[in-house]
Amino acid sequence: MTMLRHTLAVAALAAACCLPLRAHADDTCKLEITANDQMMYDKQTLWVSSGCKSVTLTLHHAGKLPKAAMGHNWVLVNGPDLPAVANAGMGAGAASDYVPAGDKRVLAHTKLVGGGESDTVTFSTAGLKEGSDYKFLCTFPGHNALMHGTFKFGGPAS
Ligand code: ZN
C-alpha cells in the first residue's frame, strides 16, 4: 500500500514538472496576427524574445473578400526599407504575391492570403540584431499605408 502511494506521487510530480514548461517555451517564439477586409492588422507591435533561434508567424485573414481584391501578406523588413520594398512588391505583381523574388531587403514573408485563409512562415533570427526594431507590412498595392507595424527582437516587450 505504501509502495503504491509512493509510485503515484512520483508519477504526478514528473507530469507536473516538465510538460507545461516545455509548452510555454515554444509559445514565446510563435506569433499570430490577423488581417481583415477593412485593410487592417489587429496588432501594431509584435515582440519575441531574443532567445528565439527561429520565429513562427501565422497570418490569418478574418475577412471574406478574395485574394485578388483584398489579399494580405506579412513582410518583415528593416524600417528604412519599407517604402522601397512596398514599391518593389507592387512591381513584382500578384503572381509573386507582391514580394520581389530574391530581394535581400525582405527578411521574411508569408504568402498572400484571401478571406478565410491563413499562412505560416518560420524564419531564423540569425540575421536579426538583438534589441532592434524592424517593420512589417502588407505589400498588396496600396495597403502598406494602413497595414504596417513594428517587430521587436528582444529588448522591452512593450
Ligand atoms: Zn493587405
Side-chain angles (χ1 to χ4, degrees), residues 7-8 14 19 22-23 29 31 33 41 59 64 68 85 91 108 141-142 145 151:
T7 308
L8 285 174
L19 290 175
R22 192 175 303 154
C29 302
L31 297 170
I33 189 165
Y41 289 124
L59 168 68
K64 291 193 165 59
V85 169
F151 176 92

Side-chain angles (χ1 to χ4, degrees), residues 30-43 46 56-65 67 70-75 109-121 136-138 143 147:
K30 284 184 183 154
L31 297 170
E32 304 217 14
I33 189 165
T34 299
N36 61 23
D37 284 344
Q38 283 71 51
M39 215 189 288
M40 302 284 277
Y41 289 124
D42 68 338
K43 290 172 183 145
L46 297 170
T56 297
L57 177 132
T58 300
L59 168 68
H60 302 281
H61 190 324
K64 291 193 165 59
L65 293 171
K67 191 159 79 169
M70 185 54 73
H72 299 307
N73 60 15
W74 182 91
V75 178
H109 71 92
T110 67
K111 292 192 299 190
L112 193 71
V113 296
E117 298 173 342
S118 62
D119 187 47
T120 299
V121 62
F136 62 85
L137 73 151
C138 173
H143 284 200
M147 299 188 71

Side-chain angles (χ1 to χ4, degrees), residues 53-145:
K53 297 269 184 277
S54 70
V55 174
T56 297
L57 177 132
T58 300
L59 168 68
H60 302 281
H61 190 324
K64 291 193 165 59
L65 293 171
K67 191 159 79 169
M70 185 54 73
H72 299 307
N73 60 15
W74 182 91
V75 178
L76 183 67
V77 297
N78 281 297
D81 292 334
L82 191 151
V85 169
N87 274 331
M90 213 184 311
S96 305
D97 284 356
Y98 298 108
V99 176
D103 193 321
K104 295 275 193 297
R105 296 169 299 186
V106 174
L107 304 176
H109 71 92
T110 67
K111 292 192 299 190
L112 193 71
V113 296
E117 298 173 342
S118 62
D119 187 47
T120 299
V121 62
T122 298
F123 57 95
S124 166
T125 59
L128 303 184
K129 286 197 193 78
E130 182 175 349
S132 290
D133 287 1
Y134 296 85
K135 294 288 181 190
F136 62 85
L137 73 151
C138 173
T139 56
F140 191 98
H143 284 200
N144 75 89

